[in-house]
C-alpha cells in the first residue's frame, strides 16, 4: 500500500473542502476501499473520512424516509420504519456480507462498492478494461459464472455486487449529492452506469461529489415486499442472482408491482418489462413465469452463466407467488 493523507471530516462542508484534489477519496466504513488500496487497485492521495458525519433516518413530510449516507448498514436494516414499511430493503441489507462488515459499512459505501469480478482484483496477472481501459477483458472468454446477462458490452460484463441497491432500485430510491457545483439528486436507477465503451466510468458521481442521503418515497408495493438471494453457499457469498419484489393486490388483481434483479448487470436491474406484463392481471405462477420470460428476452449469456436465465425465471416466480399467496 502506498502512503496517503488521512483527514477526518466533522460535517458536510468540511468534507467537501477536505476533498480538494482529484486524487482524494471519501472513506465510509473502509470495507471495500481499503481492500482495493491493499491490492493496489486504487491509490488515493488522501482519504477524507466521512463515516462520522451526522447519520440519521428521518421521516419525510409525504410519508417516505431519508437515510443518511453515513448510516451503518446494520442500523438501516434494524430500523423499525425500514423493517415494517420497506421489508425488502431490510432483508436485502441483511443478505449481504457478515454482521461485522454490516456494522462497519455505510449506506453510501455500499452504493459505491466496486465489482467482485476476479480479474478486476488480479492486477498482476489479468486483463481488465475497468482497471486499465483498453487492455481487454479476461472474463468474456474466461470464468464468467458471476457475470452479467443484461447490459454488458464487448468491453466488460461485470456485475454490481450490492444486495441493498437491488431493493433501492425496486423502491425507486433517490440519491442526494453535494459537491463543488452545489447540490443535486439522481434517481438510483440512473446512478449506476452500464459499461458501454467506458467500463471504468461506473456511476453518475462527479469529481469531488459526496453522497449525502438516499430518499425512499412512499410506495404501495413496499409493505408487502421481500428479497431473495440465490448464492453458492448460504451465507457470506455474493449473489448469483437475487430478486427484490413488492406486490399490492386489489380485488384479486395486481394493482402495483415492483421487481428488480441483482447479480445480472453492472447496475441493479429494474424489470420493467415483467412489471408491465403483470399490471392488472390475476396473480398466478404461470403469469409470473410469463412476466419473467418477457424480461429475459433481452438476456445475453456466456459459457459460464447461461444458467442464470432459468434461475432468474424460477426465483422471480417463487418470490411473486410468495407475496401473492399463491402456489409456487
Ligand atoms: C468479505 C466481504 C463480503 C461482502 N459481501 C457482500 C454481499 O454479500 N453483499 C453486499 O451487498 N455487499 C457485500 N460486501 C460489500 C460491503 O457491503 C461493502 O464493502 C460495503 O457496503 C462498503 O461500505 P463502506 O462504507 O465500507 O465503503 P468504503 O469501503 O468506505 O467505500 C466504498 C466506496 O464508496 C465511496 N464513498 C464512501 N462514502 C461516500 C460518500 N458519502 N460519498 C461519496 N463516496 C463515498 C468511497 O470513496 C469508495 O469509493 C462484502 C464485503 C466484504 C469485504
Ligand atoms: S468483466 Fe469488467 S471487471 Fe471483469 S475483467 Fe472484464 S472488464 Fe474487468
Amino acid at each position: 500500500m502506498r502512503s496517503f493523507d488521512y483527514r477526518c471530516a466533522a460535517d458536510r462542508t468540511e468534507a467537501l473542502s477536505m476533498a480538494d484534489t482529484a486524487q482524494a477519496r471519501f472513506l465510509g466504513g473502509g470495507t471495500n476501499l481499503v481492500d482495493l488500496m491493499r491490492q493496489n487497485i486504487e491509490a488515493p492521495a488522501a482519504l477524507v473520512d466521512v463515516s462520522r458525519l451526522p447519520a440519521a433516518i428521518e421521516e419525510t413530510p409525504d410519508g417516505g424516509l431519508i437515510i443518511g449516507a453515513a448510516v451503518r448498514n446494520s442500523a438501516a436494516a434494524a430500523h423499525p420504519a425500514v423493517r415494517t414499511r420497506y421489508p425488502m430493503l431490510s432483508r436485502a441489507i441483511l443478505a449481504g456480507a457478515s454482521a461485522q462488515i454490516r456494522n462497519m459499512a455505510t449506506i453510501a459505501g455500499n452504493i459505491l462498492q466496486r465489482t467482485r469480478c476476479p480479474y478486476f482484483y488480479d492486477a498482476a496477472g489479468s486483463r481488465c478494461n475497468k482497471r486499465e481501459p483498453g487492455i481487454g477483458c479476461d472474463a468474456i472468454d474466461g470464468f464468467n459464472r458471476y457475470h452479467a446477462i443484461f447490459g454488458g458490452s464487448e468491453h466488460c460484463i461485470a456485475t454490481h455486487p450490492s444486495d441493498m441497491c437491488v431493493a433501492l432500485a425496486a423502491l425507486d430510491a433517490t440519491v442526494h449529492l453535494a459537491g463543488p457545483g452545489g447540490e443535486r439528486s439522481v434517481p438510483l436507477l440512473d446512478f449506476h452506469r452500464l459499461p458501454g465503451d467506458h467500463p471504468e466510468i461506473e456511476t453518475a458521481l462527479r469529481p469531488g461529489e459526496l453522497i449525502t442521503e438516499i430518499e425512499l418515497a412512499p410506495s404501495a408495493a413496499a409493505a408487502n415486499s421481500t428479497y431473495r438471494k440465490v448464492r453458492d453457499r448460504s451465507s457470506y457469498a455474493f449473489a448469483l442472482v437475487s430478486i427484490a419484489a413488492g406486490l399490492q393486490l386489489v380485488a384479486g388483481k395486481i394493482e402495483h408491482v415492483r421487481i428488480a434483479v441483482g447479480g445480472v448487470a453492472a447496475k441493479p436491474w429494474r424489470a420493467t418489462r415483467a412489471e408491465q406484463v403483470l399490471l392488472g392481471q390475476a396473480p398466478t405462477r404461470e403469469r409470473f413465469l410469463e412476466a419473467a420470460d418477457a424480461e429475459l428476452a433481452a438476456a445475453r449469456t456466456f459459457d459460464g452463466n447461461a444458467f442464470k436465465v432459468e434461475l432468474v425465471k424460477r426465483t422471480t416466480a417463487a418470490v411473486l407467488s410468495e407475496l401473492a399467496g399463491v402456489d409456487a
Side-chain angles (χ1 to χ4, degrees):
M1 197 189 284
R2 294 175 212 156
S3 61
F4 55 89
D5 285 349
Y6 172 82
R7 304 161 185 172
C8 190
D11 58 33
R12 182 186 302 184
T13 310
E14 203 171 70
L16 291 174
S17 70
M18 283 175 166
D20 54 2
T21 78
Q23 284 74 44
R25 287 277 188 291
F26 294 117
L27 181 72
T31 62
N32 188 217
L33 182 53
V34 173
D35 282 353
L36 290 163
M37 292 167 67
R38 283 199 185 107
Q39 299 191 39
N40 289 322
I41 312 293
E42 294 210 32
L47 289 184
V48 178
D49 189 339
V50 290
S51 68
R52 291 170 216 190
L53 263 53
I57 299 181
E58 292 169 340
E59 300 283 342
T60 61
D62 65 355
L65 282 184
I66 292 262
I67 305 179
V71 169
R72 305 289 173 168
N73 286 189
S74 49
H79 194 278
V82 176
R83 291 177 59 194
T84 54
R85 282 155 47 193
Y86 303 95
M88 71 161 86
L89 178 57
S90 177
R91 286 177 193 157
I93 294 171
L94 293 174
S98 64
Q100 290 90 339
I101 291 170
R102 293 193 297 270
N103 286 341
M104 285 297 293
T106 60
I107 294 293
N110 190 314
I111 294 171
L112 287 166
Q113 63 174 294
R114 304 196 70 189
T115 184
R116 293 285 159 171
C117 173
Y119 304 106
F120 173 69
Y121 285 82
D122 180 24
S126 301
R127 295 178 308 147
C128 171
N129 287 322
K130 188 185 282 297
R131 186 170 19 81
E132 207 178 325
I135 65 167
C137 168
D138 275 342
I140 287 173
D141 293 317
F143 178 76
N144 45 41
R145 177 172 173 76
Y146 286 90
H147 289 71
I149 59 170
F150 292 124
S153 75
E154 62 185 303
H155 305 292
C156 180
I157 55 168
T159 52
H160 193 264
S162 167
D163 292 294
M164 182 186 81
C165 288
V166 186
L168 294 181
L171 292 168
D172 282 321
T174 301
V175 183
H176 295 300
L177 305 165
E183 297 184 5
R184 65 188 182 112
S185 300
V186 179
L188 183 103
L189 288 170
D190 298 334
F191 187 77
H192 297 101
R193 289 173 45 126
L194 293 175
D197 292 339
H198 288 284
E200 75 281 8
I201 304 173
E202 296 170 354
T203 69
L205 202 69
R206 295 176 185 153
E209 264 186 333
L210 179 72
I211 296 181
T212 55
E213 289 128 356
I214 56 163
E215 182 169 351
L216 303 176
S219 160
N224 180 34
S225 71
T226 194
Y227 182 76
R228 191 174 296 186
K229 176 176 182 179
V230 184
R231 45 190 154 175
D232 278 329
R233 47 170 203 260
S234 61
S235 72
Y236 211 28
F238 289 92
L240 288 166
V241 306
S242 66
I243 303 288
L247 196 65
Q248 188 192 44
L249 300 177
V250 174
K253 299 280 172 62
I254 298 169
E255 179 89 356
H256 293 283
V257 60
R258 304 280 186 85
I259 308 166
V261 189
V264 293
K267 59 191 291 180
W269 192 260
R270 182 69 177 269
T272 48
R273 291 183 189 84
E275 291 174 358
Q276 286 304 318
V277 168
L278 293 173
L279 282 174
Q281 303 296 316
T284 62
R285 176 175 158 79
E286 290 64 38
R287 190 66 80 185
F288 295 145
L289 290 169
E290 191 188 313
D293 275 340
E295 194 66 43
L296 288 159
R300 182 185 170 216
T301 62
F302 298 85
D303 284 350
N305 71 1
F307 70 93
K308 285 191 178 186
V309 170
E310 191 63 22
L311 196 55
V312 168
K313 184 173 170 178
R314 292 185 191 202
T315 311
T316 304
V319 166
L320 292 172
S321 298
E322 177 189 320
L323 292 172
V326 300
D327 288 341

